[in-house]
Amino acid sequence: YRELKRRFWHICPGVLAFGLHMVSHADPISPTLRWIVVGCCLAIGAWILRGFRQIQRQGEGAGLAAVGGYSLSVLVTVFLFPRHLELGLAVLAILAFGDGAATLAGLTFRGPRLRWNRAKSWSGFVAFIAVGTLMTSWIYWGETYNPEAADPAVSFRMALLLTSPAVVMAAIAESVRSRINDNIRVGVVATVVLVLLHSFRPL
């Protein structure tokens, strides 16, 4: 129950990204939208930290690294690339759906363990890539169809090509043994790879 509740809060912010597919917004994003994004991150983060003991893992601490790594990865990408909100939303999708699916699949199906980390399973690793790729591509693709977008929209196939390598690299980053919180590892790797791949986007 503790992990299911934790997954709910991990995945829930990703659902908010679909709201922007239905609302036309300026490109680059306006100061108002930037503060709305900041406000949502602060509100969700504060709510999670307030009840973090209910979803806390053994020896994890107060949750600042987990919540901060998640929120700041999205916020930094949004603020660094305000003309390409699809990048920030793609980072959010990888964290929310890729990382979220990995734990759910690992708990549900278990199965063989990864050679490089016996605490992780192949079912979780594959779920990260499969679900993360589908959802990240969908969110990235949908954002390019914003009526006020500065650049032409891309096909779903192109969105898949531009985001799937980032999902795979983020899945690897999540699976390795490290004292650094996985939200930080996934967020940093996802951002760097997405930005590099975005330079190949046809204009």
PDB file of all heavy atoms in Angstrom, residues 163-190:
ATOM      1  N   THR A 163      12.543  11.294 -28.602  1.00  0.00           N
ATOM      2  CA  THR A 163      12.410  11.092 -27.153  1.00  0.00           C
ATOM      3  C   THR A 163      12.815   9.705 -26.662  1.00  0.00           C
ATOM      4  O   THR A 163      13.259   9.567 -25.521  1.00  0.00           O
ATOM      5  CB  THR A 163      10.962  11.356 -26.693  1.00  0.00           C
ATOM      6  OG1 THR A 163      10.065  10.465 -27.372  1.00  0.00           O
ATOM      7  CG2 THR A 163      10.551  12.798 -26.976  1.00  0.00           C
ATOM      8  N   SER A 164      12.673   8.684 -27.497  1.00  0.00           N
ATOM      9  CA  SER A 164      12.917   7.316 -27.020  1.00  0.00           C
ATOM     10  C   SER A 164      14.354   7.087 -26.527  1.00  0.00           C
ATOM     11  O   SER A 164      14.542   6.394 -25.507  1.00  0.00           O
ATOM     12  CB  SER A 164      12.537   6.284 -28.088  1.00  0.00           C
ATOM     13  OG  SER A 164      13.196   6.529 -29.307  1.00  0.00           O
ATOM     14  N   PRO A 165      15.397   7.637 -27.186  1.00  0.00           N
ATOM     15  CA  PRO A 165      16.743   7.441 -26.632  1.00  0.00           C
ATOM     16  C   PRO A 165      16.894   8.034 -25.241  1.00  0.00           C
ATOM     17  O   PRO A 165      17.606   7.480 -24.391  1.00  0.00           O
ATOM     18  CB  PRO A 165      17.656   8.146 -27.646  1.00  0.00           C
ATOM     19  CG  PRO A 165      16.881   8.140 -28.919  1.00  0.00           C
ATOM     20  CD  PRO A 165      15.468   8.325 -28.497  1.00  0.00           C
ATOM     21  N   ALA A 166      16.228   9.153 -24.981  1.00  0.00           N
ATOM     22  CA  ALA A 166      16.288   9.771 -23.652  1.00  0.00           C
ATOM     23  C   ALA A 166      15.629   8.872 -22.611  1.00  0.00           C
ATOM     24  O   ALA A 166      16.096   8.778 -21.474  1.00  0.00           O
ATOM     25  CB  ALA A 166      15.608  11.139 -23.677  1.00  0.00           C
ATOM     26  N   VAL A 167      14.537   8.215 -22.998  1.00  0.00           N
ATOM     27  CA  VAL A 167      13.855   7.301 -22.081  1.00  0.00           C
ATOM     28  C   VAL A 167      14.764   6.125 -21.746  1.00  0.00           C
ATOM     29  O   VAL A 167      14.885   5.723 -20.578  1.00  0.00           O
ATOM     30  CB  VAL A 167      12.531   6.795 -22.683  1.00  0.00           C
ATOM     31  CG1 VAL A 167      11.870   5.799 -21.749  1.00  0.00           C
ATOM     32  CG2 VAL A 167      11.580   7.959 -22.953  1.00  0.00           C
ATOM     33  N   VAL A 168      15.422   5.574 -22.749  1.00  0.00           N
ATOM     34  CA  VAL A 168      16.316   4.426 -22.521  1.00  0.00           C
ATOM     35  C   VAL A 168      17.465   4.822 -21.595  1.00  0.00           C
ATOM     36  O   VAL A 168      17.801   4.097 -20.641  1.00  0.00           O
ATOM     37  CB  VAL A 168      16.864   3.889 -23.863  1.00  0.00           C
ATOM     38  CG1 VAL A 168      17.920   2.816 -23.615  1.00  0.00           C
ATOM     39  CG2 VAL A 168      15.733   3.334 -24.715  1.00  0.00           C
ATOM     40  N   MET A 169      18.087   5.969 -21.860  1.00  0.00           N
ATOM     41  CA  MET A 169      19.199   6.412 -21.021  1.00  0.00           C
ATOM     42  C   MET A 169      18.732   6.704 -19.599  1.00  0.00           C
ATOM     43  O   MET A 169      19.441   6.419 -18.630  1.00  0.00           O
ATOM     44  CB  MET A 169      19.839   7.656 -21.636  1.00  0.00           C
ATOM     45  CG  MET A 169      20.528   7.410 -22.980  1.00  0.00           C
ATOM     46  SD  MET A 169      21.783   6.108 -22.912  1.00  0.00           S
ATOM     47  CE  MET A 169      22.960   6.817 -21.778  1.00  0.00           C
ATOM     48  N   ALA A 170      17.538   7.259 -19.459  1.00  0.00           N
ATOM     49  CA  ALA A 170      16.992   7.530 -18.126  1.00  0.00           C
ATOM     50  C   ALA A 170      16.707   6.220 -17.391  1.00  0.00           C
ATOM     51  O   ALA A 170      16.919   6.125 -16.177  1.00  0.00           O
ATOM     52  CB  ALA A 170      15.713   8.358 -18.244  1.00  0.00           C
ATOM     53  N   ALA A 171      16.228   5.203 -18.120  1.00  0.00           N
ATOM     54  CA  ALA A 171      15.971   3.896 -17.512  1.00  0.00           C
ATOM     55  C   ALA A 171      17.265   3.278 -16.998  1.00  0.00           C
ATOM     56  O   ALA A 171      17.300   2.676 -15.916  1.00  0.00           O
ATOM     57  CB  ALA A 171      15.306   2.966 -18.527  1.00  0.00           C
ATOM     58  N   ILE A 172      18.328   3.429 -17.754  1.00  0.00           N
ATOM     59  CA  ILE A 172      19.636   2.925 -17.316  1.00  0.00           C
ATOM     60  C   ILE A 172      20.099   3.678 -16.076  1.00  0.00           C
ATOM     61  O   ILE A 172      20.576   3.076 -15.106  1.00  0.00           O
ATOM     62  CB  ILE A 172      20.675   3.041 -18.454  1.00  0.00           C
ATOM     63  CG1 ILE A 172      20.284   2.114 -19.610  1.00  0.00           C
ATOM     64  CG2 ILE A 172      22.075   2.722 -17.942  1.00  0.00           C
ATOM     65  CD1 ILE A 172      21.125   2.311 -20.855  1.00  0.00           C
ATOM     66  N   ALA A 173      19.940   5.012 -16.101  1.00  0.00           N
ATOM     67  CA  ALA A 173      20.342   5.825 -14.952  1.00  0.00           C
ATOM     68  C   ALA A 173      19.558   5.438 -13.702  1.00  0.00           C
ATOM     69  O   ALA A 173      20.105   5.432 -12.592  1.00  0.00           O
ATOM     70  CB  ALA A 173      20.133   7.308 -15.268  1.00  0.00           C
ATOM     71  N   GLU A 174      18.284   5.110 -13.876  1.00  0.00           N
ATOM     72  CA  GLU A 174      17.448   4.724 -12.735  1.00  0.00           C
ATOM     73  C   GLU A 174      17.849   3.366 -12.169  1.00  0.00           C
ATOM     74  O   GLU A 174      17.691   3.100 -10.972  1.00  0.00           O
ATOM     75  CB  GLU A 174      15.976   4.691 -13.171  1.00  0.00           C
ATOM     76  CG  GLU A 174      14.968   4.582 -12.044  1.00  0.00           C
ATOM     77  CD  GLU A 174      14.688   3.139 -11.635  1.00  0.00           C
ATOM     78  OE1 GLU A 174      14.965   2.227 -12.459  1.00  0.00           O
ATOM     79  OE2 GLU A 174      14.202   2.923 -10.509  1.00  0.00           O
ATOM     80  N   SER A 175      18.380   2.512 -13.032  1.00  0.00           N
ATOM     81  CA  SER A 175      18.632   1.126 -12.632  1.00  0.00           C
ATOM     82  C   SER A 175      19.980   0.911 -11.948  1.00  0.00           C
ATOM     83  O   SER A 175      20.183  -0.133 -11.326  1.00  0.00           O
ATOM     84  CB  SER A 175      18.537   0.207 -13.854  1.00  0.00           C
ATOM     85  OG  SER A 175      19.629   0.424 -14.740  1.00  0.00           O
ATOM     86  N   VAL A 176      20.912   1.841 -12.084  1.00  0.00           N
ATOM     87  CA  VAL A 176      22.246   1.628 -11.519  1.00  0.00           C
ATOM     88  C   VAL A 176      22.252   1.853 -10.006  1.00  0.00           C
ATOM     89  O   VAL A 176      21.401   2.565  -9.461  1.00  0.00           O
ATOM     90  CB  VAL A 176      23.287   2.563 -12.177  1.00  0.00           C
ATOM     91  CG1 VAL A 176      23.383   2.297 -13.662  1.00  0.00           C
ATOM     92  CG2 VAL A 176      22.954   4.029 -11.921  1.00  0.00           C
ATOM     93  N   ARG A 177      23.215   1.236  -9.355  1.00  0.00           N
ATOM     94  CA  ARG A 177      23.390   1.455  -7.917  1.00  0.00           C
ATOM     95  C   ARG A 177      24.023   2.822  -7.702  1.00  0.00           C
ATOM     96  O   ARG A 177      25.032   3.143  -8.316  1.00  0.00           O
ATOM     97  CB  ARG A 177      24.289   0.375  -7.319  1.00  0.00           C
ATOM     98  CG  ARG A 177      23.658  -1.003  -7.256  1.00  0.00           C
ATOM     99  CD  ARG A 177      24.584  -1.981  -6.554  1.00  0.00           C
ATOM    100  NE  ARG A 177      24.018  -3.303  -6.468  1.00  0.00           N
ATOM    101  CZ  ARG A 177      23.169  -3.695  -5.527  1.00  0.00           C
ATOM    102  NH1 ARG A 177      22.808  -2.841  -4.569  1.00  0.00           N
ATOM    103  NH2 ARG A 177      22.689  -4.918  -5.514  1.00  0.00           N
ATOM    104  N   SER A 178      23.439   3.608  -6.834  1.00  0.00           N
ATOM    105  CA  SER A 178      23.975   4.938  -6.560  1.00  0.00           C
ATOM    106  C   SER A 178      23.368   5.486  -5.279  1.00  0.00           C
ATOM    107  O   SER A 178      22.230   5.158  -4.934  1.00  0.00           O
ATOM    108  CB  SER A 178      23.661   5.895  -7.722  1.00  0.00           C
ATOM    109  OG  SER A 178      24.086   7.207  -7.428  1.00  0.00           O
ATOM    110  N   ARG A 179      24.142   6.304  -4.584  1.00  0.00           N
ATOM    111  CA  ARG A 179      23.617   6.966  -3.398  1.00  0.00           C
ATOM    112  C   ARG A 179      22.821   8.214  -3.767  1.00  0.00           C
ATOM    113  O   ARG A 179      22.156   8.799  -2.922  1.00  0.00           O
ATOM    114  CB  ARG A 179      24.763   7.343  -2.459  1.00  0.00           C
ATOM    115  CG  ARG A 179      25.479   6.132  -1.840  1.00  0.00           C
ATOM    116  CD  ARG A 179      26.514   6.563  -0.832  1.00  0.00           C
ATOM    117  NE  ARG A 179      27.156   5.416  -0.197  1.00  0.00           N
ATOM    118  CZ  ARG A 179      28.087   5.511   0.737  1.00  0.00           C
ATOM    119  NH1 ARG A 179      28.501   6.716   1.131  1.00  0.00           N
ATOM    120  NH2 ARG A 179      28.623   4.424   1.273  1.00  0.00           N
ATOM    121  N   ILE A 180      22.932   8.624  -5.017  1.00  0.00           N
ATOM    122  CA  ILE A 180      22.167   9.784  -5.505  1.00  0.00           C
ATOM    123  C   ILE A 180      20.740   9.344  -5.777  1.00  0.00           C
ATOM    124  O   ILE A 180      20.512   8.320  -6.432  1.00  0.00           O
ATOM    125  CB  ILE A 180      22.798  10.363  -6.786  1.00  0.00           C
ATOM    126  CG1 ILE A 180      24.242  10.782  -6.524  1.00  0.00           C
ATOM    127  CG2 ILE A 180      21.983  11.549  -7.302  1.00  0.00           C
ATOM    128  CD1 ILE A 180      24.986  11.194  -7.779  1.00  0.00           C
ATOM    129  N   ASN A 181      19.770  10.105  -5.298  1.00  0.00           N
ATOM    130  CA  ASN A 181      18.371   9.753  -5.479  1.00  0.00           C
ATOM    131  C   ASN A 181      18.054   9.546  -6.956  1.00  0.00           C
ATOM    132  O   ASN A 181      18.523  10.287  -7.816  1.00  0.00           O
ATOM    133  CB  ASN A 181      17.486  10.864  -4.896  1.00  0.00           C
ATOM    134  CG  ASN A 181      16.019  10.517  -4.970  1.00  0.00           C
ATOM    135  OD1 ASN A 181      15.355  10.817  -5.957  1.00  0.00           O
ATOM    136  ND2 ASN A 181      15.504   9.871  -3.938  1.00  0.00           N
ATOM    137  N   ASP A 182      17.242   8.529  -7.249  1.00  0.00           N
ATOM    138  CA  ASP A 182      16.962   8.202  -8.649  1.00  0.00           C
ATOM    139  C   ASP A 182      16.211   9.301  -9.384  1.00  0.00           C
ATOM    140  O   ASP A 182      16.345   9.437 -10.600  1.00  0.00           O
ATOM    141  CB  ASP A 182      16.234   6.861  -8.761  1.00  0.00           C
ATOM    142  CG  ASP A 182      14.868   6.864  -8.102  1.00  0.00           C
ATOM    143  OD1 ASP A 182      14.626   7.719  -7.242  1.00  0.00           O
ATOM    144  OD2 ASP A 182      14.044   5.999  -8.448  1.00  0.00           O
ATOM    145  N   ASN A 183      15.417  10.115  -8.692  1.00  0.00           N
ATOM    146  CA  ASN A 183      14.735  11.215  -9.368  1.00  0.00           C
ATOM    147  C   ASN A 183      15.740  12.236  -9.905  1.00  0.00           C
ATOM    148  O   ASN A 183      15.539  12.805 -10.983  1.00  0.00           O
ATOM    149  CB  ASN A 183      13.766  11.917  -8.410  1.00  0.00           C
ATOM    150  CG  ASN A 183      12.516  11.115  -8.159  1.00  0.00           C
ATOM    151  OD1 ASN A 183      12.236  10.139  -8.851  1.00  0.00           O
ATOM    152  ND2 ASN A 183      11.755  11.495  -7.153  1.00  0.00           N
ATOM    153  N   ILE A 184      16.807  12.454  -9.154  1.00  0.00           N
ATOM    154  CA  ILE A 184      17.849  13.370  -9.612  1.00  0.00           C
ATOM    155  C   ILE A 184      18.562  12.779 -10.819  1.00  0.00           C
ATOM    156  O   ILE A 184      18.770  13.458 -11.838  1.00  0.00           O
ATOM    157  CB  ILE A 184      18.853  13.659  -8.478  1.00  0.00           C
ATOM    158  CG1 ILE A 184      18.142  14.333  -7.296  1.00  0.00           C
ATOM    159  CG2 ILE A 184      20.009  14.529  -8.981  1.00  0.00           C
ATOM    160  CD1 ILE A 184      19.026  14.532  -6.071  1.00  0.00           C
ATOM    161  N   ARG A 185      18.941  11.507 -10.726  1.00  0.00           N
ATOM    162  CA  ARG A 185      19.653  10.843 -11.826  1.00  0.00           C
ATOM    163  C   ARG A 185      18.810  10.833 -13.094  1.00  0.00           C
ATOM    164  O   ARG A 185      19.274  11.201 -14.181  1.00  0.00           O
ATOM    165  CB  ARG A 185      20.027   9.405 -11.439  1.00  0.00           C
ATOM    166  CG  ARG A 185      20.886   9.297 -10.200  1.00  0.00           C
ATOM    167  CD  ARG A 185      21.533   7.923 -10.088  1.00  0.00           C
ATOM    168  NE  ARG A 185      20.620   6.812 -10.210  1.00  0.00           N
ATOM    169  CZ  ARG A 185      20.000   6.208  -9.203  1.00  0.00           C
ATOM    170  NH1 ARG A 185      20.167   6.657  -7.968  1.00  0.00           N
ATOM    171  NH2 ARG A 185      19.212   5.169  -9.403  1.00  0.00           N
ATOM    172  N   VAL A 186      17.559  10.416 -12.953  1.00  0.00           N
ATOM    173  CA  VAL A 186      16.667  10.330 -14.116  1.00  0.00           C
ATOM    174  C   VAL A 186      16.419  11.717 -14.706  1.00  0.00           C
ATOM    175  O   VAL A 186      16.470  11.903 -15.925  1.00  0.00           O
ATOM    176  CB  VAL A 186      15.327   9.668 -13.724  1.00  0.00           C
ATOM    177  CG1 VAL A 186      14.296   9.805 -14.844  1.00  0.00           C
ATOM    178  CG2 VAL A 186      15.545   8.200 -13.399  1.00  0.00           C
ATOM    179  N   GLY A 187      16.154  12.694 -13.847  1.00  0.00           N
ATOM    180  CA  GLY A 187      15.864  14.042 -14.330  1.00  0.00           C
ATOM    181  C   GLY A 187      17.020  14.662 -15.083  1.00  0.00           C
ATOM    182  O   GLY A 187      16.833  15.245 -16.165  1.00  0.00           O
ATOM    183  N   VAL A 188      18.234  14.538 -14.549  1.00  0.00           N
ATOM    184  CA  VAL A 188      19.410  15.134 -15.196  1.00  0.00           C
ATOM    185  C   VAL A 188      19.700  14.450 -16.523  1.00  0.00           C
ATOM    186  O   VAL A 188      19.905  15.109 -17.552  1.00  0.00           O
ATOM    187  CB  VAL A 188      20.639  15.054 -14.262  1.00  0.00           C
ATOM    188  CG1 VAL A 188      21.913  15.445 -15.012  1.00  0.00           C
ATOM    189  CG2 VAL A 188      20.452  15.967 -13.056  1.00  0.00           C
ATOM    190  N   VAL A 189      19.716  13.122 -16.524  1.00  0.00           N
ATOM    191  CA  VAL A 189      20.007  12.378 -17.755  1.00  0.00           C
ATOM    192  C   VAL A 189      18.946  12.653 -18.819  1.00  0.00           C
ATOM    193  O   VAL A 189      19.269  12.891 -19.991  1.00  0.00           O
ATOM    194  CB  VAL A 189      20.113  10.867 -17.464  1.00  0.00           C
ATOM    195  CG1 VAL A 189      20.163  10.073 -18.766  1.00  0.00           C
ATOM    196  CG2 VAL A 189      21.346  10.577 -16.630  1.00  0.00           C
ATOM    197  N   ALA A 190      17.680  12.630 -18.429  1.00  0.00           N
ATOM    198  CA  ALA A 190      16.593  12.884 -19.376  1.00  0.00           C
ATOM    199  C   ALA A 190      16.721  14.267 -19.998  1.00  0.00           C
ATOM    200  O   ALA A 190      16.579  14.433 -21.219  1.00  0.00           O
ATOM    201  CB  ALA A 190      15.244  12.739 -18.680  1.00  0.00           C
TER     202      ALA A 190
END
